[in-house]
Amino acid sequence: MTAKAKPASSADSMADAIDPEKALVPTVQRVNEMRVRKGFWPKLRSTASRIPFAGQALAAWYATQDPQTPMAAKGVMLGALAYFVMPVDAIPDIFAGIGFTDDAAVIAAVLATLGAHVKRRHHEQAETALKRVRDEAN
C-alpha cells in the first residue's frame, strides 16, 4: 500500500504564501540590487554635472548600503535607484531638459516617503562622493 500525500492545510498554504524565501518581493529586490550595483556609479559619473538630484540619489544609495536601514526601505530605495539606472523609462534620458524629470520625481517621492531612513551620515557620504565625482569629471 502506498502512502498518500497529506493534503495541505489552509495553514500550510498560508505559511507558503508568506514565506520570505518563496516570495516574489525578495526576488525583485535582488534583481534591482544587481541592476543598481552594476549601473549606479557609471550612470552617476556620466550625469552628475547635469542632474540636480545627484546628491539625493547618492544619499539613497548610501542608505541602501547601511545595515541599519530596514530591509523594506532598502527594497523601495533600490527600486527607485534601479529606475534611475535603467536607460529606458517613462521619459528617456536622451531628451535634453526633460529626460531626467521622471527619475527626479521617483527619487523625490522615495525620499519624501522614506526620508527618515536616510540619515545625516548618508547625506554627508553623498556630499563627499559627489564632490569627488565632479572633481574627477573636470
Side-chain angles (χ1 to χ4, degrees), residues 78-104:
L78 284 167
L81 293 173
Y83 186 85
F84 167 67
V85 168
M86 293 176 57
V88 177
D89 51 29
I91 303 173
D93 299 339
I94 60 169
F95 292 122
I98 64 165
F100 287 103
T101 56
D102 58 327
D103 301 281

Side-chain angles (χ1 to χ4, degrees), residues 1-70:
M1 192 150 112
T2 60
K4 290 186 178 181
K6 180 177 121 183
S9 70
S10 61
D12 290 337
S13 298
M14 186 64 117
D16 286 345
I18 59 173
D19 182 354
E21 294 300 317
K22 296 179 181 178
L24 178 62
V25 172
T27 301
V28 171
Q29 185 168 336
R30 281 192 297 275
V31 169
N32 285 338
E33 187 173 5
M34 287 186 301
R35 280 186 181 131
V36 172
R37 188 181 318 253
K38 181 180 176 186
F40 181 75
W41 283 103
K43 177 90 174 228
L44 188 79
R45 282 186 181 99
S46 68
T47 61
S49 63
R50 297 182 299 164
I51 58 171
F53 63 94
Q56 290 88 348
L58 267 165
W61 186 83
Y62 280 111
T64 67
Q65 304 306 300
D66 188 339
Q68 294 179 347
T69 303

